[in-house]
Amino acid sequence: MIFTHDAEHALATVVDLINTGPEASGEERLADLAALRAFVDRNRFSDVDRLTERDLARVRDLRDRFHAVFTAADVPAAVRLINDIVGEVRTTPHLTDHDGYDWHVHFFAPGAPMDEHLAADCGMALAYVVAAGELDRLRTCEAPDCSRVLVDLSRNRCRRYCDSRTCGNRMHVAAYRARQREAAAH
């Protein structure tokens, strides 16, 4: 494990969030409140009850800002983006042990709106990545027809595809077929 459980959970959440956007997935996957609720449930958020259209609009805006961190040209650019995100929210770090997870840190204020919850926890997780000198672990899928993002938490930094079952498998099959064609041509 490179980061703590809560940081890795927040990183997985920010990846899921970014990949709901049209820029990453080709379509809007946070089209309505039901989709936002599914996102909240899928990522096992605590302390999120009622969601509003305002929450949806703010989460979509935050999603684009997080995406900019993944595509930042360099560390100083990523730092500016992250500092802007976490600097706009009221952070209230506190230890919690809810939902069967051992003690971990939440950075959002209890009862905070959804976007502040995401900005605080996910923004701080991204800050940890940069502070650890690991910005290169934030990537875009290398499959030529995919723009989804990923966080490479592998030990040797070898993860190239957003999903090994889809993009990874497709690219490996294509490489295998290309080798077979090359061998047949000789």
Side-chain angles (χ1 to χ4, degrees), residues 9-179:
H9 180 264
L11 292 170
T13 299
V14 78
V15 164
D16 187 23
L17 177 62
I18 293 167
N19 288 337
T20 65
E23 191 174 330
S25 69
E27 63 183 283
E28 178 58 71
R29 294 188 175 164
L30 282 182
D32 54 26
L33 289 176
L36 182 58
R37 173 53 64 191
F39 169 79
V40 167
D41 293 345
R42 182 172 62 247
N43 288 284
R44 299 180 313 273
F45 279 89
S46 62
D47 200 24
V48 174
D49 297 320
R50 187 173 166 266
L51 294 168
T52 66
E53 290 294 332
R54 183 174 184 239
D55 291 320
L56 180 61
R58 291 175 125 184
V59 167
R60 284 182 187 158
D61 177 62
L62 186 59
R63 174 185 64 194
D64 296 340
R65 296 173 71 195
F66 280 140
H67 198 189
V69 173
F70 276 71
T71 59
D74 53 27
V75 171
V79 166
R80 280 189 300 279
L81 293 164
I82 294 167
N83 281 342
D84 286 348
I85 291 168
V86 296
E88 292 174 5
V89 296
R90 178 176 48 117
T91 58
T92 309
H94 59 279
L95 285 164
T96 183
D97 69 339
H98 61 88
D99 298 331
Y101 292 107
D102 206 359
W103 292 107
H104 59 281
V105 179
H106 282 188
F107 291 95
F108 60 92
M114 184 68 200
D115 63 305
E116 287 186 23
H117 184 140
L118 283 166
D121 274 3
C122 295
M124 289 305 299
L126 291 170
Y128 287 141
V129 170
V130 172
E134 303 286 351
L135 182 63
D136 63 332
R137 290 184 181 273
L138 307 181
R139 302 186 181 151
T140 300
C141 183
E142 290 183 21
D145 58 344
C146 185
S147 298
R148 294 170 54 93
V149 300
L150 62 111
V151 176
D152 181 1
L153 296 177
S154 67
R155 216 179 270 217
N156 61 356
R157 293 176 168 85
C158 65
R159 187 166 171 209
R160 299 172 53 202
Y161 305 111
C162 63
D163 187 345
S164 61
R165 294 172 310 230
T166 55
C167 289
N169 189 46
R170 194 168 28 86
M171 297 308 296
H172 291 300
V173 168
Y176 171 78
R177 288 182 178 155
R179 286 191 304 274

